[in-house]
Amino acid sequence: MKIGIGNDHAALEMKLQIKEFLEEMGHEVVDYGTHTKESCDYPVYGEKVARAVASGEVEQGIVICGTGVGISLAANKVRGIRCVVCSEPYSARLSKEHNNANMLAFGARVIGIEMAKMIVNEWLHAKFLGARHQERVDMIMAIEEKGM
Ligand code: RB5
């Protein structure tokens, strides 16, 4: 699978470890930065990965900042994106099975690398269950069409 990844300065090391983990699993990873530990703005990277997912340039997106919160909020502003912040694998799995999340976020200052790998693994292997869940996801996406 082609996966986009992005991060801010707080998550550089974890991003590199997750990127390696994904490549070891056979995925193609497109790294949208940041590439240094210099302080930067997480919305920039949340948006970059989200636009890549929304346009189909990559199939799924993973974004990491200190908490996972800011970068996921930014990603969710892009039309078509359903980005979830997860700190454990159960929510990660259900976010795909029930919510068809197309982006995953977590916090490098919140969880350790082994938990992050477990979350990524669970999320990537889970399948959207459709049926009644499709109707609810459609309802979420319809909110984008309503305006103010
Ligand atoms: C950066 O200090 C921090 O605010 C950022 O990584 C993230 O946690 C924001 O939500």
Coordinates of all heavy atoms in Angstrom, one line a residue, residues 53-98:
V53 N -3.9 12.3 0.7 CA -4.9 11.2 0.8 C -6.1 11.6 0.0 O -6.7 10.8 -0.7 CB -5.2 11.0 2.3 CG1 -6.4 10.0 2.5 CG2 -4.0 10.4 3.1
A54 N -6.6 12.8 0.2 CA -7.8 13.2 -0.4 C -7.7 13.2 -2.0 O -8.7 12.9 -2.6 CB -8.2 14.7 0.0
S55 N -6.6 13.4 -2.5 CA -6.4 13.5 -4.0 C -6.1 12.1 -4.5 O -6.1 11.9 -5.7 CB -5.2 14.4 -4.3 OG -4.0 13.8 -3.9
G56 N -5.8 11.1 -3.6 CA -5.5 9.8 -4.1 C -4.0 9.5 -4.4 O -3.7 8.5 -4.9
E57 N -3.2 10.6 -4.1 CA -1.8 10.4 -4.3 C -1.2 9.3 -3.5 O -0.3 8.6 -3.9 CB -1.1 11.8 -3.9 CG 0.3 12.0 -4.3 CD 0.7 13.4 -4.0 OE1 0.1 14.3 -4.5 OE2 1.6 13.6 -3.1
V58 N -1.8 9.2 -2.3 CA -1.5 8.0 -1.4 C -2.8 7.4 -0.9 O -3.8 8.1 -1.0 CB -0.6 8.4 -0.2 CG1 0.8 8.9 -0.6 CG2 -1.3 9.4 0.7
E59 N -2.8 6.2 -0.5 CA -4.0 5.5 -0.1 C -4.5 5.8 1.4 O -5.7 5.9 1.6 CB -3.9 4.0 -0.2 CG -3.8 3.6 -1.7 CD -3.2 2.2 -1.8 OE1 -3.9 1.2 -1.5 OE2 -2.0 2.0 -2.2
Q60 N -3.5 5.9 2.2 CA -3.8 6.2 3.7 C -2.7 7.2 4.2 O -1.7 7.3 3.6 CB -3.7 4.9 4.5 CG -4.6 3.8 4.0 CD -5.9 3.8 4.6 OE1 -6.2 3.3 5.6 NE2 -6.9 4.4 3.8
G61 N -3.0 7.8 5.3 CA -2.1 8.8 5.9 C -1.9 8.5 7.4 O -2.8 8.2 8.1
I62 N -0.6 8.8 7.8 CA -0.3 8.7 9.2 C 0.4 10.0 9.6 O 1.4 10.4 8.9 CB 0.6 7.4 9.5 CG1 -0.2 6.2 9.2 CG2 1.0 7.4 11.0 CD1 0.6 4.9 9.3
V63 N -0.1 10.6 10.6 CA 0.5 11.9 11.1 C 0.8 11.9 12.6 O 0.0 11.3 13.3 CB -0.4 13.1 10.7 CG1 -0.3 13.4 9.2 CG2 -1.8 12.9 11.1
I64 N 1.9 12.4 12.9 CA 2.4 12.4 14.3 C 2.9 13.7 14.7 O 3.7 14.4 14.0 CB 3.6 11.3 14.5 CG1 3.4 10.1 13.6 CG2 3.7 11.0 15.9 CD1 4.6 9.2 13.5
C65 N 2.4 14.2 15.9 CA 3.0 15.4 16.5 C 3.2 15.1 18.0 O 3.3 13.9 18.3 CB 2.1 16.6 16.3 SG 0.5 16.6 17.0
G66 N 3.3 16.1 18.9 CA 3.5 15.8 20.3 C 2.4 15.0 20.9 O 2.6 13.9 21.5
T67 N 1.2 15.4 20.6 CA 0.0 14.7 21.2 C -0.8 13.9 20.1 O -1.7 13.1 20.5 CB -1.0 15.7 21.8 OG1 -1.3 16.7 20.8 CG2 -0.4 16.5 23.0
G68 N -0.6 14.3 18.8 CA -1.5 13.7 17.8 C -2.7 14.6 17.6 O -3.4 14.5 16.6
V69 N -2.9 15.5 18.5 CA -4.2 16.3 18.5 C -4.1 17.4 17.4 O -5.0 17.5 16.5 CB -4.5 16.9 19.9 CG1 -5.7 17.8 19.8 CG2 -4.8 15.8 20.9
G70 N -3.1 18.2 17.5 CA -3.1 19.4 16.6 C -3.0 19.0 15.1 O -3.7 19.5 14.2
I71 N -2.2 18.0 14.8 CA -2.0 17.6 13.4 C -3.2 16.8 12.9 O -3.5 17.0 11.7 CB -0.7 16.7 13.3 CG1 -0.1 16.7 11.9 CG2 -0.9 15.3 13.8 CD1 1.4 16.4 11.8
S72 N -4.0 16.2 13.8 CA -5.2 15.5 13.3 C -6.3 16.6 13.1 O -7.1 16.5 12.1 CB -5.7 14.5 14.3 OG -6.0 15.1 15.5
L73 N -6.3 17.6 13.9 CA -7.3 18.7 13.7 C -7.1 19.3 12.4 O -8.0 19.6 11.6 CB -7.2 19.7 14.8 CG -7.7 19.3 16.2 CD1 -7.4 20.4 17.2 CD2 -9.2 19.1 16.2
A74 N -5.8 19.6 12.0 CA -5.5 20.2 10.7 C -5.9 19.3 9.6 O -6.5 19.7 8.6 CB -4.0 20.5 10.7
A75 N -5.6 18.0 9.7 CA -5.9 17.0 8.6 C -7.4 17.0 8.4 O -7.9 16.9 7.3 CB -5.4 15.6 9.0
N76 N -8.2 17.0 9.5 CA -9.6 16.9 9.4 C -10.3 18.1 8.7 O -11.5 18.0 8.4 CB -10.2 16.6 10.8 CG -10.2 15.1 11.1 OD1 -10.5 14.3 10.3 ND2 -9.7 14.8 12.3
K77 N -9.6 19.2 8.5 CA -10.1 20.3 7.8 C -10.1 20.1 6.3 O -10.8 20.9 5.6 CB -9.3 21.6 8.2 CG -9.5 22.0 9.6 CD -10.9 22.5 9.9 CE -11.0 22.9 11.3 NZ -12.5 23.1 11.7
V78 N -9.4 19.1 5.8 CA -9.4 18.8 4.4 C -10.6 17.9 4.0 O -10.8 16.9 4.7 CB -8.1 18.2 4.0 CG1 -8.1 17.7 2.5 CG2 -6.9 19.1 4.3
R79 N -11.3 18.4 3.0 CA -12.5 17.6 2.6 C -12.2 16.2 2.3 O -11.2 15.9 1.6 CB -13.1 18.3 1.3 CG -14.4 17.8 0.8 CD -14.9 18.7 -0.3 NE -15.2 20.0 0.1 CZ -16.4 20.4 0.5 NH1 -17.4 19.5 0.5 NH2 -16.7 21.6 0.9
G80 N -13.0 15.3 2.8 CA -12.8 13.9 2.6 C -12.0 13.1 3.6 O -11.9 11.9 3.5
I81 N -11.4 13.9 4.5 CA -10.5 13.2 5.5 C -11.3 12.9 6.8 O -12.0 13.6 7.3 CB -9.3 14.2 5.8 CG1 -8.5 14.3 4.5 CG2 -8.5 13.7 7.0 CD1 -7.9 13.0 4.0
R82 N -11.0 11.7 7.2 CA -11.4 11.2 8.5 C -10.2 10.7 9.3 O -9.7 9.6 9.1 CB -12.4 10.0 8.4 CG -13.8 10.5 7.8 CD -14.7 9.3 7.6 NE -14.1 8.3 6.7 CZ -14.1 8.4 5.3 NH1 -14.6 9.5 4.8 NH2 -13.5 7.5 4.6
C83 N -9.6 11.6 10.1 CA -8.4 11.4 10.8 C -8.7 11.1 12.3 O -9.3 12.0 12.9 CB -7.4 12.6 10.6 SG -5.8 12.3 11.4
V84 N -8.2 10.1 12.8 CA -8.4 9.7 14.2 C -7.1 9.7 15.0 O -6.1 9.2 14.6 CB -9.1 8.3 14.3 CG1 -10.5 8.3 13.8 CG2 -8.3 7.3 13.6
V85 N -7.2 10.2 16.2 CA -6.1 10.1 17.2 C -6.3 8.9 18.0 O -7.3 8.8 18.7 CB -6.0 11.4 18.1 CG1 -4.7 11.4 18.9 CG2 -6.3 12.7 17.4
C86 N -5.3 8.0 18.1 CA -5.4 6.8 18.9 C -4.2 6.6 19.8 O -3.0 6.9 19.3 CB -5.5 5.6 17.9 SG -7.0 5.5 17.0
S87 N -4.5 6.2 21.0 CA -3.4 5.9 21.9 C -3.4 4.4 22.3 O -2.6 4.0 23.1 CB -3.6 6.7 23.2 OG -3.5 8.1 22.9
E88 N -4.3 3.7 21.7 CA -4.3 2.2 21.9 C -4.9 1.5 20.7 O -5.6 2.1 19.9 CB -5.0 1.9 23.2 CG -6.2 2.7 23.6 CD -7.4 2.4 22.7 OE1 -7.6 1.3 22.2 OE2 -8.2 3.4 22.4
P89 N -4.6 0.2 20.5 CA -5.0 -0.5 19.3 C -6.5 -0.7 19.1 O -6.9 -0.9 18.0 CB -4.2 -1.8 19.3 CG -3.6 -1.9 20.7 CD -3.7 -0.6 21.4
Y90 N -7.2 -0.8 20.2 CA -8.7 -1.1 20.1 C -9.4 0.0 19.3 O -10.1 -0.3 18.3 CB -9.3 -1.3 21.5 CG -10.8 -1.6 21.4 CD1 -11.3 -2.8 21.0 CD2 -11.7 -0.6 21.7 CE1 -12.7 -3.1 21.0 CE2 -13.1 -0.8 21.6 CZ -13.5 -2.0 21.3 OH -14.9 -2.3 21.2
S91 N -9.1 1.2 19.7 CA -9.8 2.3 19.0 C -9.3 2.4 17.5 O -10.0 2.8 16.6 CB -9.5 3.7 19.7 OG -10.0 3.7 21.0
A92 N -8.0 2.1 17.3 CA -7.4 2.1 16.0 C -8.2 1.1 15.1 O -8.6 1.5 14.0 CB -5.9 1.8 16.0
R93 N -8.4 -0.1 15.6 CA -9.1 -1.1 14.8 C -10.5 -0.6 14.5 O -11.0 -0.7 13.3 CB -9.1 -2.4 15.5 CG -10.0 -3.4 14.8 CD -9.5 -4.9 15.0 NE -9.5 -5.3 16.4 CZ -10.5 -5.9 16.9 NH1 -11.6 -6.2 16.3 NH2 -10.4 -6.4 18.2
L94 N -11.2 -0.2 15.5 CA -12.6 0.2 15.3 C -12.7 1.5 14.5 O -13.7 1.6 13.8 CB -13.3 0.4 16.7 CG -14.0 -0.8 17.3 CD1 -15.3 -1.1 16.6 CD2 -13.1 -2.0 17.4
S95 N -11.7 2.3 14.5 CA -11.8 3.5 13.6 C -11.8 3.2 12.2 O -12.3 4.0 11.3 CB -10.6 4.5 14.0 OG -9.4 4.0 13.4
K96 N -11.3 2.0 11.8 CA -11.3 1.5 10.4 C -12.6 0.7 10.2 O -13.3 1.0 9.2 CB -10.1 0.7 10.1 CG -9.9 0.3 8.7 CD -9.6 1.5 7.8 CE -8.2 2.0 7.9 NZ -7.2 1.0 7.4
E97 N -12.9 -0.2 11.1 CA -14.1 -1.1 10.9 C -15.4 -0.3 10.9 O -16.2 -0.6 10.1 CB -14.1 -2.1 12.0 CG -13.0 -3.2 11.9 CD -13.1 -4.3 13.0 OE1 -13.9 -4.1 13.9 OE2 -12.4 -5.2 12.9
H98 N -15.5 0.7 11.8 CA -16.8 1.4 11.9 C -16.7 2.8 11.2 O -17.8 3.2 10.7 CB -17.2 1.6 13.4 CG -17.6 0.4 14.0 ND1 -18.2 0.4 15.3 CD2 -17.5 -0.9 13.7 CE1 -18.5 -0.9 15.6 NE2 -18.0 -1.7 14.7

